[in-house]
Amino acid sequence: MLYENDKQKKMGGIMLAIYLTLIDNEDDKKSFEDLYNQNRSKAYAIAFNILKNKTLAEEACSETFFSLAKSFQKIKNLESHKLDYYIVITVRNVSLNLLKKEKEHIKAMNLSEDIPELTDETLCDRNYDNIVDCIKRLSYTDQEILYLRITLGMRYSEISLALHISNAASRQRFQHAKDSLAKLLEKEGIYNG
């Protein structure tokens, strides 16, 4: 179960009540409650996968469902797979923004410290940052397909539904994105293919 204890379960109920105050129509409130109950666990899993921190993952879920409640009139009539995709992208973006803020906060705290020693860990961090930079240089389409396939572990059939493309196209896009990333990593001296 998503909730570890009664306190967390109660807090989830309080948050749902807050989201429902943003929705006027009683039928829409019921629909949003169903959406929340069906997708909260998945949203939390996605957020935790990105943030690797329970508190930040909870915060990402709260921001995600707050955003969904605010825009519920626009999204309530989306087809099921489009709505799922919308939720995944929303929680991903919220989580990535939180991660960015968290990193900026840590960097700001470390500015006054001396330059760190070159250890395996700092070299790993530098490689990580270089890899992230390479990914950011990819097209949005390449970034999206890599995220869906690698980070979320979606199957090609799920990706094809979410992106409204064929299975073959999702495989081709993924291969193209992998090849593009490998070229950038080779150019940066991070990867020898």
Side-chain angles (χ1 to χ4, degrees):
M1 183 81 195
L2 178 64
Y3 300 110
E4 292 179 6
N5 58 43
D6 289 337
K7 185 177 179 182
Q8 286 179 330
K9 189 173 185 176
K10 185 176 180 182
M11 184 56 104
I14 292 169
M15 294 307 297
L16 177 59
I18 291 169
Y19 307 141
L20 293 176
T21 63
L22 300 170
I23 300 170
D24 296 327
N25 181 310
E26 288 302 316
D27 290 337
D28 287 350
K29 285 183 181 189
K30 176 66 177 133
S31 295
F32 184 82
E33 186 174 353
D34 291 343
L35 175 118
Y36 176 82
N37 289 328
Q38 292 168 3
N39 291 282
R40 190 180 188 299
S41 295
K42 181 169 96 175
Y44 178 84
I46 292 167
F48 187 80
N49 192 31
I50 294 168
L51 298 164
K52 310 291 189 236
N53 177 295
K54 289 180 180 181
T55 304
L56 290 176
E58 287 291 342
E59 185 176 341
C61 280
S62 293
E63 285 187 36
T64 296
F65 284 102
F66 185 78
S67 172
L68 293 172
K70 285 193 319 187
S71 60
F72 194 66
Q73 287 300 311
K74 295 176 188 171
I75 65 170
K76 69 180 182 180
N77 293 322
L78 290 175
E79 295 173 29
S80 176
H81 63 277
K82 287 183 181 180
L83 183 57
D84 287 346
Y85 181 68
Y86 185 85
I87 293 168
V88 166
I89 295 303
T90 302
V91 74
R92 178 194 72 165
N93 289 341
V94 167
S95 298
L96 291 174
N97 286 339
L98 282 174
L99 187 61
K100 182 179 176 186
K101 286 178 190 175
E102 201 60 22
K103 283 185 176 185
E104 287 171 359
H105 176 71
I106 290 169
K107 282 182 183 178
M109 289 174 53
N110 291 333
L111 282 179
S112 61
E113 296 177 9
D114 294 331
I115 297 172
E117 292 181 45
L118 286 178
T119 63
D120 286 344
E121 189 174 308
T122 56
L123 288 173
C124 245
D125 288 343
R126 288 181 184 179
N127 273 345
Y128 173 79
D129 290 340
N130 288 337
I131 292 169
V132 169
D133 287 340
C134 287
I135 292 171
K136 286 179 181 177
R137 284 189 269 162
L138 293 172
S139 70
Y140 177 78
T141 304
D142 287 349
Q143 290 178 34
E144 182 178 54
I145 197 86
L146 288 172
Y147 178 78
L148 294 173
R149 180 76 177 136
I150 296 171
T151 305
L152 297 182
M154 292 176 75
R155 295 186 304 265
Y156 291 114
S157 60
E158 295 170 319
I159 293 170
S160 66
L161 284 174
L163 299 180
H164 308 289
I165 58 176
S166 68
N167 275 353
S170 66
R171 288 177 193 279
Q172 288 172 340
R173 279 192 191 179
F174 180 68
Q175 188 60 49
H176 176 267
K178 271 184 16 183
D179 293 345
S180 298
L181 180 58
K183 285 177 187 173
L184 285 173
L185 293 174
E186 278 185 63
K187 192 175 177 182
E188 294 295 321
I190 299 169
Y191 170 76
N192 293 324

